[in-house]
Amino acid sequence: MKPSAGTENQRLSIVVPCYNEEDALGETVRRLRALCDALDLDAELIFVDDGSADRTRELLKGHAAADARIRVIGLSRNFGHQIAVTAGIDAAAGDAVVLLDADLQDPPEAVLEMVAKWREGFDVVYGTRTERVGESAFKLTTARAFYRLLNLVSDVPIPLDTGDFRLMDRKVVEALKAMPEKDRFVRGMVSWVGFRQTALPYRREERVAGTSKYPLRKMLRFGVDAILSFSTRPLQVSVALGMISAALALLGIFYAVFLRLFTSIWVEGWTALMIAVLFLGGVQLISVGILGEYVGRIYSEIKRRPLYIVQEYVGFDQDGPSMSRSPYVYSK
Ligand code: UDP
Ligand code: MG
């Protein structure tokens, strides 16, 4: 079932998560509309307002009123980037769906090349960053280290230096929609799905306006989520740490018994004792903490809450988007 049969009636959905992007939006919408004009297929632009506190929602609705290709999903509060992306994917009607950031760090023009590769028969075309302009050295090194660590521990290989900028065929989108988990690390989930995937190298540009919506705290959370949802290796590491420290403790015990029985210096050794106690205490706390992270995840999964709450759909057909996952939709 290749989409290459004919290009008429093919549809492309472009999903753009926005959180406090009032400064970037004007330029982003302009570039994306130009992209839609340049594409030889029907495109829809789905902007997801992730509970912005600024004028993002208002501006988006204005754009939607002016251009029938623009749709807006307004979430009831800030749910986070990955959930916002999910809400967009759920509502997308296209034969292929593109994920793209609102700050133009992912150049819209690269979508043309993604579509070309899709027509060659690839089901996922993910952008890999050859260069990242205007990011701090700290972000670059931590990101590099993170993607390598993630790959080391992950149960599925996840391409290096790859963000969410990508095109996915409908079959991949349907597979994603069948994955109900609450902790969503979208790029990892797409890797997990499989099918034919290929990379498209691109230069990651500087943010067009505004500031990063990923402060260190969110970045750390994102990293922890990624690792914990794609690997049970941390549990194995904590078991290994436990075994190593138990082995060391055993040596220490033999040593202590030996001193007690055969020498007269057995009151000494307070330092060694403290080291052992503190080390074991540390290892135990870490292990319990890791366990706790997984238990916490189980807890949030079993609550079975909807992933996100939609306050309003704007610019969709009368009955709203047709979806397999039904979010809770607030209606007056
Ligand atoms: N974003 C979002 N919800 C959030 C944080 C970010 O929808 O809670 C959006 C943001 O508007 C942008 C994209 O996710 O379109 C990536 O965020 P950002 O550019 O701030 O991250 P960075 O590029 O600095 O990693
Ligand atoms: Mg950005």
Side-chain angles (χ1 to χ4, degrees):
M1 249 194 17
K2 280 282 130 269
S4 49
T7 54
E8 339 69 64
N9 301 329
Q10 261 185 8
R11 291 180 69 188
L12 183 72
S13 305
I14 301 177
V15 170
V16 190
C18 309
Y19 179 51
N20 294 343
E21 298 284 6
E22 63 179 3
D23 297 329
L25 264 184
E27 179 64 7
T28 306
V29 169
R30 199 185 59 72
R31 288 266 291 276
L32 284 174
R33 288 177 66 177
L35 170 71
C36 290
D37 295 337
L39 283 164
D40 58 350
L41 34 65
D42 286 337
E44 62 171 351
L45 294 171
I46 301 181
F47 290 90
V48 183
D49 172 29
D50 188 13
S52 298
D54 64 2
R55 291 177 57 237
T56 300
R57 176 90 50 108
E58 193 187 327
L59 294 176
L60 283 176
K61 282 169 144 178
H63 289 299
D67 187 333
R69 297 172 297 193
I70 297 181
R71 317 189 195 302
V72 181
I73 302 175
L75 300 184
S76 62
R77 64 168 172 86
N78 179 239
F79 280 89
H81 180 203
Q82 301 289 300
I83 303 274
V85 163
T86 303
I89 293 174
D90 286 347
D95 300 300
V97 176
V98 168
L99 310 181
L100 184 139
D101 282 355
D103 56 8
L104 290 178
Q105 284 193 292
D106 310 323
E109 295 69 33
V111 172
L112 294 168
E113 293 168 63
M114 288 183 167
V115 169
K117 292 215 176 210
W118 172 51
R119 288 188 174 142
E120 278 170 32
F122 288 103
D123 300 306
V124 175
V125 187
Y126 53 83
T128 31
R129 319 183 255 236
T130 49
E131 258 178 88
R132 293 181 85 170
V133 196
E135 303 268 28
S136 67
F138 176 74
K139 180 143 186 170
L140 292 182
T141 18
T142 47
R144 243 186 101 77
F146 167 69
Y147 284 107
R148 275 145 193 87
L149 172 69
L150 178 61
N151 246 287
L152 208 63
V153 300
S154 160
D155 307 329
V156 282
I158 295 168
L160 295 174
D161 305 318
T162 299
D164 285 326
F165 184 36
R166 58 188 59 225
L167 177 148
M168 302 174 288
D169 185 73
R170 172 58 41 192
K171 52 173 148 330
V172 175
V173 171
E174 289 306 320
L176 274 186
K177 285 161 74 173
M179 296 162 81
E181 59 238 61
K182 301 283 182 291
D183 289 299
R184 302 184 81 79
F185 179 58
V186 173
R187 58 199 81 159
M189 292 164 69
V190 174
S191 295
W192 183 89
V193 164
F195 296 112
R196 287 191 67 195
Q197 311 211 354
T198 190
L200 179 81
Y202 76 104
R203 202 177 109 105
R204 189 152 169 95
E205 300 293 340
E206 224 162 317
R207 203 172 220 292
V208 58
T211 50
S212 173
K213 308 299 179 284
Y214 266 100
L216 185 62
R217 183 180 47 82
K218 269 194 184 173
M219 237 162 75
L220 280 177
R221 191 68 243 165
F222 178 75
V224 170
D225 271 350
I227 289 178
L228 295 190
S229 47
F230 273 85
S231 170
T232 48
R233 199 64 57 85
L235 289 174
Q236 292 155 12
V237 170
S238 81
V239 171
L241 271 179
M243 298 233 260
I244 292 170
S245 58
L248 288 176
L250 202 65
L251 287 181
I253 289 167
F254 282 134
Y255 177 67
V257 170
F258 175 82
L259 289 185
R260 176 68 182 84
L261 294 181
F262 302 109
T263 71
S264 54
I265 53 164
W266 49 272
V267 274
E268 287 175 19
W270 185 82
T271 317
L273 188 74
M274 280 317 278
I275 290 173
V277 167
L278 293 176
F279 178 66
L280 278 179
V283 168
Q284 277 170 1
L285 280 180
I286 292 172
S287 306
V288 171
I290 292 173
L291 207 62
E293 281 283 343
Y294 285 98
V295 174
R297 259 137 223 283
I298 297 172
Y299 178 58
S300 74
E301 292 293 341
I302 60 160
K303 277 192 289 192
R304 300 193 140 272
R305 290 193 181 159
L307 269 178
Y308 50 88
I309 310 281
V310 175
Q311 189 173 3
E312 55 190 341
Y313 287 109
V314 180
F316 287 89
D317 299 340
Q318 200 127 53
D319 354 319
S322 53
M323 288 181 270
S324 59
R325 185 195 339 262
S326 41
Y328 177 80
V329 183
Y330 166 81
S331 57
K332 277 175 271 206

